[in-house]
Amino acid sequence: MPFGLGWFDYKIPIELEKSIQIGQLVKIPFRRSSLFGIVFEITAETEIKGGAKEIEKIILETPILTSKYIKFGMLCAKFYGVSPTIFFRMMLPPLQARKLQKVKLNKIKEVVKKPKKTKFFIYKNLEEQKKYLTKIISEPTLILVPEKEDLENILNLLPKEGVISWHSGLTEKEQFDTWFKIRNGEKKIIVGTRGAIFLPIPNLKNIVIDKEHHEGHKHWDQNPRYHTKDIANLYAKIFGIQTNLMDFSPSSESYFYIYKEIYNVPKNTKQKISSPPKELPKIINMVNERKGKNYSSFSWEVEQKMKEETGDIFLYINRRGLAGCLICNNCGHIERCEKCNLPLVTHENTKTLQCHYCKIKKNNFNQCLKCRSVNIKNFGTGTQGVEKELKKILPHKEIYRIDGDDENVEFKNEDQRIIVGTAKAFRNIRWEKTKLIIFVNIDTELNLPEFGAQEKIWHLIQKVQFIKEKNCLFFIQTLSPDYFLFKSLFEPDRFYRMDLNGRKALSYPPYNFIVKYIYGHENEFTAHKEAEKLYNTLTNKAKTCKILGPLQSTPMFYRRKYWFVVLLKKKLNETEENRYTIYKEIAEINKEIPSDWRIDPNPLSLLSV
């Protein structure tokens, strides 16, 4: 719903005038039915001609949301350009009239607290993580993890008493019961995925965001496109709640804020960041392998280690299919998707070329469609290609491929598990039994034209280093062994400095706050025209911001629409107060954005749909 359609005026019946309060759950008539509503303002007059309909009844005498949560929800709605209804629904459980009759709400006394500086804690092992959490949870605390798989790990570090979890896997009944236990203060420690940040927790003192670098803290694929760190910043300002960030691999932004002393940190934090792990991955120079006439996906050393290993093996490659694309060696033609223009990926099991965006398939062929040459070949390696080569090297071993094509793998009861997969395979790895890990080819990911591409690979390497057992060998194969990221494994500060220098030159976070506006239409000319119109609107309205666009999205044609992007960049000063000021400024700007535009503050990607 558009922002302006989130609230309606209703008349207070005489018998309810003395009992009506802001934040109460009420029953209201809406068209031909009755709905639940939240009272967010009480006024003496209405602008509705002919008078407003009356509230039917008060469902719960005690307000279900406090006035501060009402204010918080309204600001979020403005900032993300959606109806307040969306955020209030995210704050509440599934509402069922029959169950609500048996519910009793405890009253909450709102306490005025001053905003506090964000704290950051880096941990090198689970014991350090547990020690830090133990200090915090003496007070009501919300702990956020990026993925549902992380919940169990955190719960194992906490005491059993007074702890409850919240995630999308709960049934409606479980959500209802859990929500009221939290709302009435029966549970003081809540562990959840990103949606838990909207739970109205009484007298909340701390928000902990674990693995703060992880993209799972961003709700990126549908409205509202929020990031838990931005929401936590709003909490800190409105409620005075302490934000605590934790990680074994700090994000580039957090590194910046730590060294600028914007975050409060323990004394040894900078030393921990600059100290590399004792055991580093071995970098394999694949250029030398090619010089030695080895054109396999594996170096000689890696191939020998795989033949000798009796424990679990994991081979990572972040590309599905047999190969990245089909290219003609005669004319250079690359077969592309007719809709989005991205290269089609070869899939051997179905003998097809596929577009993973548009979900189209076409039969493979043995000659170039442009020049009719038969001198065509697959370029780049995908999970199917690695699996095919691996079966030749280990013909008597069971190989499991886990990627977007087939995530539901049934493992047999053999002692050894050999997995070829993308990032989706990580949840299936038996880390305690894995003795060999190979990053087959990450060069393509390092060269993606996105400001966060290098950082994403950095954190992936650090994740493996953090989780793997000490006796597990870790190899990274690359054609660019002198790339700064690999050199930085011995000197982590170097990576952060280089990454931040690049961000500063291009006005990326943490030097600027970015908002991405996305628009799609069946007609390319219309889509571009609307993007130009918004560019002009923002240029005139947001005088203190830099506006870029219109830019073609990647892919440009997706789900039967042509997509364009307009970017807003607002310079950030080195204070957390400045960030809150920017939130309010952008909230005012976003009120002017048409409802058919997607608004993405603090985006993960600048050009993707």
Side-chain angles (χ1 to χ4, degrees):
M1 292 176 70
F3 176 77
L5 293 182
W7 58 87
F8 301 90
D9 286 0
Y10 284 88
K11 184 180 179 181
I12 303 171
I14 295 174
E15 65 271 18
L16 298 181
E17 284 183 354
K18 293 183 179 180
S19 54
I20 199 79
Q21 299 177 59
I22 290 175
Q24 279 179 327
L25 183 67
V26 296
K27 203 68 174 289
I28 53 174
F30 190 80
R31 294 177 180 169
R32 296 183 179 180
S33 61
S34 294
L35 301 176
F36 291 112
I38 298 287
V39 179
F40 75 91
E41 189 178 14
I42 299 173
T43 60
E45 298 177 351
T46 179
E47 296 179 358
I48 297 177
K49 295 179 181 179
K53 294 181 180 179
E54 287 191 346
I55 292 173
E56 293 179 357
K57 65 176 180 178
I58 297 171
I59 302 297
L60 296 170
E61 291 292 333
T62 301
I64 199 166
L65 294 175
T66 65
S67 58
K68 278 191 176 181
Y69 271 102
I70 299 293
K71 176 184 176 182
F72 168 70
M74 294 298 291
L75 179 56
C76 287
K78 290 179 183 178
F79 185 60
Y80 291 99
V82 297
S83 165
T85 305
I86 292 176
F87 281 100
F88 292 140
R89 281 181 175 172
M90 294 168 75
M91 294 179 192
L92 299 174
L95 297 173
Q96 301 171 18
R98 181 178 55 81
K99 283 190 173 184
L100 287 169
Q101 294 174 5
K102 303 176 183 178
V103 165
K104 183 180 179 181
L105 283 177
N106 295 337
K107 291 184 179 180
I108 297 176
K109 184 179 180 181
E110 290 187 323
V111 180
V112 178
K113 293 179 288 185
K114 291 183 179 180
K116 301 173 183 177
K117 286 180 70 173
T118 298
K119 293 181 179 180
F120 188 95
F121 179 77
I122 184 171
Y123 53 88
K124 292 294 187 179
N125 52 60
L126 294 179
E127 283 302 314
E128 288 185 355
Q129 186 182 16
K130 182 177 181 178
K131 184 178 178 181
Y132 188 69
L133 285 172
T134 303
K135 286 182 180 178
I136 295 175
I137 60 174
S138 58
E139 302 176 308
T141 300
L142 170 64
I143 303 172
L144 296 170
V145 295
E147 297 179 309
K148 198 163 69 172
E149 290 74 25
D150 296 309
L151 288 171
E152 185 178 351
N153 297 331
I154 287 288
L155 291 171
N156 288 336
L157 300 177
L158 301 172
K160 304 300 180 187
E161 293 294 322
V163 179
I164 199 166
S165 62
W166 180 274
H167 54 85
S168 59
L170 298 176
T171 64
E172 283 196 3
K173 181 182 183 304
E174 289 171 333
Q175 285 185 20
F176 187 91
D177 295 340
T178 300
W179 190 92
F180 278 97
K181 286 179 182 177
I182 294 170
R183 169 59 179 75
N184 284 335
E186 295 176 31
K187 301 292 182 179
K188 302 293 185 184
I189 312 300
I190 299 92
V191 182
T193 48
R194 60 177 178 259
I197 198 166
F198 297 105
L199 293 170
I201 304 167
N203 303 312
L204 182 64
K205 295 293 192 300
N206 291 290
I207 293 176
V208 178
I209 301 178
D210 188 32
K211 298 179 183 174
E212 57 87 21
H213 76 268
H214 200 290
E215 292 183 353
H217 288 297
K218 170 76 175 182
H219 191 252
W220 60 270
D221 58 344
Q222 58 183 309
N223 287 337
R225 289 170 163 78
Y226 65 89
H227 198 298
T228 54
K229 286 198 276 190
D230 291 322
I231 300 298
N233 287 333
L234 291 175
Y235 266 117
K237 182 65 179 179
I238 296 172
F239 295 88
I241 294 170
Q242 176 69 62
T243 299
N244 304 268
L245 304 180
M246 298 179 67
D247 216 321
F248 55 82
S249 181
S251 64
S252 290
E253 287 189 51
S254 289
Y255 179 92
F256 174 84
Y257 292 134
I258 289 167
Y259 275 80
K260 291 293 183 179
E261 298 184 349
I262 297 170
Y263 288 169
N264 281 336
V265 296
K267 291 182 180 179
N268 62 345
T269 299
K270 293 180 182 179
Q271 181 183 351
K272 279 187 174 182
I273 294 174
S274 61
S275 301
K278 292 181 180 179
E279 298 172 1
L280 293 170
K282 183 171 183 178
I283 308 300
I284 303 291
N285 187 345
M286 295 303 286
V287 174
N288 292 339
E289 296 293 318
R290 303 295 180 256
K291 289 178 180 178
K293 307 300 181 183
N294 177 13
Y295 300 105
S296 162
S297 294
F298 312 112
S299 68
W300 298 119
E301 182 179 2
V302 164
E303 183 174 326
Q304 189 60 37
K305 292 292 184 185
M306 289 193 295
K307 289 178 179 178
E308 296 171 355
E309 186 55 64
T310 57
D312 286 6
I313 302 173
F314 174 54
L315 299 97
Y316 169 79
I317 182 161
N318 201 31
R319 177 188 283 153
R320 292 183 284 162
L322 176 71
C325 63
L326 190 65
I327 188 170
C328 175
N329 284 333
N330 187 50
C331 70
H333 173 70
I334 296 175
E335 194 62 25
R336 296 179 179 274
C337 174
E338 296 171 358
K339 293 183 176 180
C340 69
N341 203 40
L342 289 178
L344 294 175
V345 177
T346 306
H347 283 251
E348 187 180 45
N349 57 343
T350 57
K351 300 189 184 305
T352 58
L353 298 173
Q354 298 182 22
C355 175
H356 294 151
Y357 275 98
C358 302
K359 308 300 181 186
I360 68 164
K361 297 180 182 180
K362 62 166 61 175
N363 292 332
N364 208 339
F365 39 81
N366 55 15
Q367 66 177 12
C368 175
L369 296 183
K370 185 177 181 181
C371 71
R372 300 301 174 184
S373 168
V374 294
N375 188 17
I376 59 175
K377 71 171 185 177
N378 290 307
F379 181 78
T381 306
T383 49
Q384 288 183 10
V386 172
E387 179 189 24
K388 184 178 180 180
E389 284 192 60
L390 199 56
K391 285 180 177 179
K392 293 178 181 178
I393 297 171
L394 306 172
H396 304 297
K397 298 289 182 73
E398 191 76 32
I399 312 295
Y400 300 97
R401 176 171 54 84
I402 305 175
D403 51 26
D405 294 333
D406 187 7
E407 294 180 50
N408 300 316
V409 177
E410 291 187 12
F411 294 99
K412 298 178 181 178
N413 293 323
E414 79 290 335
D415 293 331
Q416 189 180 33
R417 183 180 291 183
I418 303 174
I419 297 175
V420 176
T422 61
K424 294 180 182 293
F426 273 74
R427 68 189 64 176
N428 298 103
I429 298 173
R430 301 184 298 187
W431 294 99
E432 72 284 356
K433 294 185 177 182
T434 300
K435 305 303 178 187
L436 181 60
I437 296 172
I438 304 118
F439 279 16
V440 180
N441 179 6
I442 58 172
D443 292 343
T444 304
E445 292 174 79
L446 286 173
N447 292 304
L448 289 174
E450 283 287 356
F451 74 91
Q454 287 81 14
E455 186 185 1
K456 188 175 180 179
I457 291 296
W458 173 263
H459 293 311
L460 188 64
I461 294 171
Q462 302 307 314
K463 176 179 179 177
V464 172
Q465 289 285 97
F466 180 77
I467 302 177
K468 78 177 186 68
E469 297 291 324
K470 289 183 179 180
N471 60 349
C472 174
L473 298 177
F474 183 15
F475 292 93
I476 298 176
Q477 300 184 152
T478 177
L479 293 168
S480 306
D482 293 326
Y483 194 70
F484 84 93
L485 184 144
F486 301 127
K487 296 292 185 182
S488 300
L489 293 173
F490 303 90
E491 186 188 353
D493 275 321
R494 183 182 190 181
F495 168 78
Y496 289 109
R497 291 195 302 268
M498 293 284 286
D499 190 48
L500 287 169
N501 285 340
R503 289 170 179 242
K504 186 175 184 178
L506 295 170
S507 301
Y508 290 155
Y511 303 96
N512 281 260
F513 190 86
I514 296 178
V515 183
K516 179 171 71 173
Y517 301 93
I518 317 158
Y519 181 80
H521 195 274
E522 292 85 354
N523 182 279
E524 182 180 356
F525 177 79
T526 303
H528 188 266
K529 200 73 177 174
E530 287 298 313
E532 284 184 331
K533 191 185 297 183
L534 183 72
Y535 171 84
N536 293 330
T537 299
L538 291 174
T539 301
N540 293 327
K541 185 171 180 62
K543 298 289 187 182
T544 62
C545 303
K546 184 177 181 180
I547 312 300
L548 302 175
L551 307 168
Q552 291 183 3
S553 71
T554 305
M556 181 184 177
F557 189 79
Y558 179 57
R559 292 184 178 175
R560 300 182 180 181
K561 288 185 178 182
Y562 294 91
W563 296 89
F564 286 88
V565 170
V566 176
L567 297 175
L568 178 149
K569 293 183 179 181
K570 173 68 177 178
K571 187 174 178 59
L572 282 165
N573 295 330
E574 295 174 5
T575 65
E576 291 190 279
E577 179 66 32
N578 169 249
R579 184 175 282 266
Y580 180 71
T581 303
I582 288 175
Y583 290 156
K584 291 196 295 182
E585 182 179 341
I586 291 172
E588 290 302 310
I589 292 170
N590 287 348
K591 287 197 299 185
E592 306 297 323
I593 306 301
S595 60
D596 50 357
W597 278 80
R598 297 177 181 178
I599 301 175
D600 188 3
N602 200 1
L604 296 179
S605 164
L606 297 184
L607 296 178
S608 63
V609 178

